[in-house]
Amino acid sequence: DSRDYDREVKSVCPYCGVGCQISYKVKDDRIAWVDGINGPANEGRLCVKGRFGFDYITHPHRLTKPLIRRKDAPEKGLNVDPANPWTHFREASWEEALEVAAHGLSDLRSYYGGKAVAGFGSAKCSNEEAYLFQKLIRQGFGHNNVDHCTRLCHASSVAALMENVGSGAVTATFNEIENADIAIVIGSNPIENHPVAATYFKQFAKRGGKLVLMDPRGMGLKRHAWRSLQFKPGTDVAMLNAIMNVIVEEKLYDRQYIEGFTEGFFEFRDHIRAFPPERMAELCGVPAETLREVAREFARARAGMIFWGMGISQHIHGTDNSRCLISLALLCGHVGRPGTGLHPLRGQNNVQGASDAGLIPMMLPDYQLVAEADNRELFKHIWKGTEIDAKPGLTVVEIMDAMYRGEIRGMYILGENPAMSDPDVEHARNAMAKLEHLVVQDVFLTETANYADVILPASAWAEKTGTATNTNRQVQMGRPAVSPPGEAREDWRIIVALARKLGLDWDYDHPREVFSEMKMSMRSLHHITWERLEREGAVTYPCLGPEDPGQAVVFGDGFPRRAGRAKFTPARVTPPAEIPDANFPMILTTGRQLEHWHTGSMTRRASVLDAVEPEANASMHPRTLAKLGIAPGDMFRITTRRGAIEIMARADRAVSEDMVFVPFAYVEASANVLTNPQLDPFGKIPEFKFSACRVERI
Ligand code: SF4
């Protein structure tokens, strides 16, 4: 490159789970620009977020000193100006802030017991930080009330995968699509949410691969697709069961594979007979002939893959949706060979790694159940005699409810923003206002930090050393391009300092030491060393030897379940938790958009991304807008049983006519004021993708 820079630092994009490798070009200790490099997931490609979304780290709102809530501060609420927080907070030294943070939490522990305190870790931090965070809660407070945003994205997918396949991670990398003949992309809009993965999907279609899209909205890949099934929202199980009915009734299934590698087929076959396409077609809004055609192509293909996103997982029947996708792949023997596999596209850059590292309430690192004595013994040994609570902890939404009831009185929240991301967010905000002690660790004074008693200034991804694991199971090395500003510190250092203040005997000097400890309990890291990651940049797990780059496709020889067999689990059709009625006749769905990441705390402070997409907006089909008398650009109101927002209208033909889509990045029109907190009973994930709503001109 002819442009001038002082040094180049290779790292990983901080945004989505694709995990593109990047090169920071640093000039005068500032990141001047970012290039894509040849990582295993991106081969040099980047999307607009990876390329232009870096300058939030120098935004004037960055936290550069610890803050403590003033004694005379106004009542807690969403009322702090991040540019001028001084009526609410005062600056403090690290020593004082850590003392106040630790004392507040340990006092609650002493008065009410450890369960009065809970923790939310972050899928935007490194593997080492996630590991340390869950260890702090489990060791320091004696329970498992620790969770993170995986609960709000793919918890139901993981529940179904663990149940039926025996492992929550993908069975094949998304790049394997180059070896497939057919690929189903369902409940996912990769053009906006996993843009570099979408480039591989487009190339697949260009080479003649049959791309099948299934989604009530988000048809960005439609012009590349062989078939597009715009099914009615919430009817996933009906549609997928109808497709599998064809495969069963026409005996298109892979009998040899089913006999060799699965269990539960005969019960499943009997169940699926109740879903003929002709009966399901009206319910799901897809012609029976199209369902038959897709079923036949998928079953007869030499190699097929299934990709899914939060359109599948964020329903009260999200686990059933994923069970259907797993059964579909098993019926056709499309697992364990090149070009086959199940791939839930992971959201955050390190949601796979944070989950692997044990940042979940029912499992220790590597998905080892807290309920099993052998697992607790292993960690008791590694954690120098720590007794692990055998009872699974509460999940994200359950913790919010316990806060609201006054059972949880203190929280440590690292890098998450539940005051924007939780369903029925006014309830979550009210719950946080009730906390007696809230410690928030973040790079900005987020909406959640508005409710904090102590705010600890942390590091952005470009300022820290640590590993992250992408959607492909690729563990990658993140390196610091610049130092954190002012007195801000790397997150792992803050967690360690707080743990020591809480009386834990911790002694880590570098993330590599944490990684070594993780390897003592995590078989997934076998043959993956810190030195290898420094040298090679990425290694995929499982890894079979010191020279093996890792296995792109797994389970060719059987599954990590009883007798090596995967399982068919029948799924019944259940309606969404809220059915549209005369008062709330439309369907609200939420999600991300290309330029803005989740709650917007980073991307809305990245100059290029904010310039491209500066205003809160919601999309409806042009015919729906016309019917309601709303023009694109007009402000309008959306109301649900939880609340109302006012937002600008945008026309989008990809949205079904009975639906409105709202991105959840905008605090001035918080989508989650509207959303339904009803949970899937297995994955405990809320129904973000379906709420009954009313839309009005204003
Ligand atoms: Fe970053 Fe994802 Fe874009 Fe890649 S696709 S550059 S990981 S946001």
Side-chain angles (χ1 to χ4, degrees):
D1 198 301
S2 59
R3 287 176 287 178
D4 184 27
Y5 58 90
D6 301 330
R7 62 180 191 277
E8 177 192 39
V9 179
K10 291 180 179 170
S11 190
V12 184
C13 172
Y15 291 107
C16 90
V18 170
C20 296
Q21 287 197 7
I22 59 179
S23 154
Y24 292 113
K25 301 297 191 300
V26 183
K27 174 84 179 155
D28 299 331
D29 278 329
R30 286 174 75 96
I31 298 171
W33 78 94
V34 170
D35 286 328
I37 55 174
N38 192 25
N42 65 317
E43 299 176 294
R45 306 168 200 188
L46 289 182
C47 80
V48 66
K49 287 192 290 290
R51 189 170 294 281
F52 297 112
F54 60 87
D55 66 348
Y56 72 91
I57 69 169
T58 51
H59 192 279
H61 287 174
R62 270 305 290 273
L63 293 167
T64 57
K65 267 185 157 283
L67 300 177
I68 293 179
R69 181 170 287 277
R70 299 174 71 101
K71 288 205 165 47
D72 57 350
E75 227 171 80
K76 286 182 183 178
L78 208 57
N79 51 10
V80 186
D81 175 0
N84 181 20
W86 310 121
T87 47
H88 297 74
F89 294 98
R90 64 175 174 82
E91 288 185 349
S93 68
W94 269 106
E95 181 57 26
E96 184 190 8
L98 288 167
E99 279 286 331
V100 174
H103 268 131
L105 298 177
S106 59
D107 283 354
L108 292 171
R109 181 178 59 188
S110 308
Y111 293 143
Y112 302 105
K115 287 192 176 162
V117 175
F120 289 160
S122 174
K124 298 218 75 59
C125 285
S126 68
N127 289 327
E128 297 74 35
E129 289 161 346
Y131 177 88
L132 288 177
F133 190 88
Q134 57 87 35
K135 180 176 175 179
L136 182 145
I137 298 294
R138 289 188 158 119
Q139 195 174 44
F141 296 94
H143 60 72
N144 298 297
N145 289 343
V146 59
D147 206 355
H148 77 294
C149 72
T150 192
R151 195 66 40 210
L152 306 180
C153 62
H154 266 308
S156 51
S157 310
V158 171
L161 285 163
M162 292 296 291
E163 172 191 46
N164 298 293
V165 176
S167 161
V170 300
T171 73
T173 64
F174 67 75
N175 315 71
E176 269 303 308
I177 196 170
E178 71 179 33
N179 296 316
D181 295 332
I182 189 165
I184 293 173
V185 178
I186 178 167
S188 166
N189 187 13
I191 290 253
E192 303 218 21
N193 295 319
H194 302 87
V196 166
T199 66
Y200 289 84
F201 298 175
K202 291 179 201 169
Q203 294 300 320
F204 162 75
K206 190 175 165 195
R207 282 195 304 275
K210 287 194 163 75
L211 186 63
V212 183
L213 288 190
M214 301 177 178
D215 205 306
R217 123 172 224 278
M219 304 298 271
L221 280 170
K222 190 171 178 179
R223 67 197 162 94
H224 305 273
W226 169 68
R227 292 291 178 272
S228 298
L229 281 57
Q230 193 161 11
F231 61 96
K232 290 185 188 166
T235 62
D236 318 57
V237 171
M239 180 183 67
L240 293 166
N241 276 355
I243 288 171
M244 290 190 283
N245 173 283
V246 177
I247 295 170
V248 166
E249 294 294 1
E250 297 187 9
K251 296 197 169 43
L252 299 172
Y253 48 82
D254 185 335
R255 183 185 300 270
Q256 214 180 342
Y257 184 84
I258 291 167
E259 283 173 7
F261 292 104
T262 70
E263 63 182 32
F265 172 69
F266 294 107
E267 299 91 303
F268 179 80
R269 184 190 61 185
D270 295 344
H271 167 81
I272 214 73
R273 289 198 157 129
F275 300 90
E278 285 68 22
R279 268 186 50 206
M280 295 298 109
E282 194 181 343
L283 183 61
C284 63
V286 179
E289 208 34 57
T290 308
L291 297 170
R292 289 189 179 281
E293 189 187 25
V294 167
R296 289 168 188 151
E297 279 299 324
F298 192 72
R300 288 177 180 145
R302 181 191 51 85
M305 292 188 77
I306 303 176
F307 299 92
W308 70 96
M310 272 141 250
I312 281 289
S313 61
Q314 290 177 335
H315 288 279
I316 57 160
H317 48 83
T319 305
D320 273 333
N321 288 348
S322 291
R323 285 171 175 153
C324 288
L325 297 174
I326 294 164
S327 296
L328 176 58
L330 295 178
L331 272 182
C332 306
H334 286 331
V335 183
R337 292 177 289 114
T340 67
L342 292 157
H343 192 120
L345 285 152
R346 308 308 300 255
Q348 300 267 17
N349 65 331
N350 197 31
V351 69
Q352 181 65 58
S355 304
D356 296 345
L359 208 52
I360 35 184
M362 54 294 280
M363 290 155 182
L364 291 151
D366 250 2
Y367 306 95
Q368 299 176 78
L369 293 167
V370 294
E372 289 186 5
D374 286 355
N375 300 336
R376 297 197 302 276
E377 271 308 305
L378 172 67
F379 283 88
K380 183 176 177 180
H381 172 69
I382 297 171
W383 293 353
K384 299 180 188 161
T386 301
E387 295 291 346
I388 309 285
D389 189 4
K391 193 169 171 243
L394 301 176
T395 59
V396 165
V397 177
E398 291 171 335
I399 287 173
M400 281 295 168
D401 289 342
M403 279 159 54
Y404 196 80
R405 292 193 302 269
E407 291 159 19
I408 288 178
R409 296 164 182 264
M411 285 284 298
Y412 178 20
I413 300 181
L414 160 60
E416 294 235 326
N417 195 5
M420 284 288 287
S421 60
D422 272 33
D424 188 10
V425 78
E426 284 299 349
H427 172 77
R429 291 169 185 171
N430 291 336
M432 279 189 289
K434 290 182 172 200
L435 284 173
E436 291 171 33
H437 193 68
L438 172 60
V439 179
V440 171
Q441 178 173 323
D442 215 309
V443 295
F444 293 114
L445 205 156
T446 58
E447 290 74 18
T448 297
N450 275 240
Y451 297 87
D453 296 282
V454 181
I455 304 175
L456 305 173
S459 48
W461 186 249
E463 297 159 355
K464 67 169 74 166
T465 303
T467 66
T469 306
N470 69 359
T471 190
N472 279 347
R473 299 182 262 101
Q474 284 148 352
V475 186
Q476 308 201 86
M477 179 58 77
R479 302 176 180 87
V482 290
S483 303
E487 295 180 25
R489 291 183 181 174
E490 286 177 285
D491 292 85
W492 71 269
R493 288 186 196 279
I494 305 172
I495 304 166
V496 171
L498 191 58
R500 290 169 71 96
K501 287 277 182 207
L502 286 164
L504 301 179
D505 174 23
W506 283 20
D507 186 17
Y508 302 97
D509 279 332
H510 192 276
R512 103 165 47 83
E513 295 168 12
V514 184
F515 191 81
S516 296
E517 183 177 313
M518 292 165 69
K519 283 170 63 68
M520 293 167 74
S521 63
M522 295 176 67
R523 272 186 302 189
S524 62
L525 298 179
H526 211 44
H527 297 299
I528 304 178
T529 62
W530 190 268
E531 292 68 29
R532 263 194 90 174
L533 292 171
E534 276 189 331
R535 195 171 57 243
E536 298 171 34
V539 181
T540 305
Y541 76 75
C543 176
L544 304 183
E547 306 300 323
D548 178 23
Q551 302 295 300
V553 179
V554 291
F555 308 148
D557 301 329
F559 295 88
R561 287 190 77 255
R562 188 161 44 101
R565 289 172 180 274
K567 185 172 131 204
F568 288 97
T569 298
R572 279 200 300 273
V573 174
T574 45
E578 261 185 7
I579 303 294
D581 57 18
N583 263 339
F584 300 101
M586 287 184 64
I587 300 161
L588 166 86
T589 190
T590 67
R592 298 191 295 254
Q593 58 188 153
L594 175 63
E595 294 80 4
H596 287 309
W597 187 251
H598 282 215
T599 66
S601 57
M602 294 154 64
T603 51
R604 295 198 77 191
R605 294 178 172 103
S607 56
V608 172
L609 302 177
D610 187 51
V612 175
E613 199 60 271
E615 281 170 297
N617 58 84
S619 304
M620 282 182 282
H621 195 280
R623 274 196 288 273
T624 312
L625 286 172
K627 213 159 54 188
L628 294 163
I630 301 170
D634 283 356
M635 294 297 286
F636 71 105
R637 184 179 301 115
I638 310 172
T639 309
T640 66
R641 291 185 174 86
R642 270 80 44 202
I645 62 169
E646 293 181 358
I647 193 164
M648 188 184 72
R650 187 171 278 183
D652 183 352
R653 286 180 198 285
V655 183
S656 303
E657 289 186 40
D658 52 356
M659 181 178 255
V660 54
F661 168 74
V662 188
F664 65 102
Y666 301 96
V667 62
E668 63 273 32
S670 297
N672 282 318
V673 164
L674 307 169
T675 47
N676 190 348
Q678 289 285 316
L679 300 182
D680 170 283
F682 306 98
K684 305 281 178 79
I685 191 167
E687 191 153 60
F688 289 114
K689 289 291 185 275
F690 198 113
S691 303
C693 73
R694 183 169 64 239
V695 169
E696 297 156 296
R697 267 178 76 170
I698 49 176

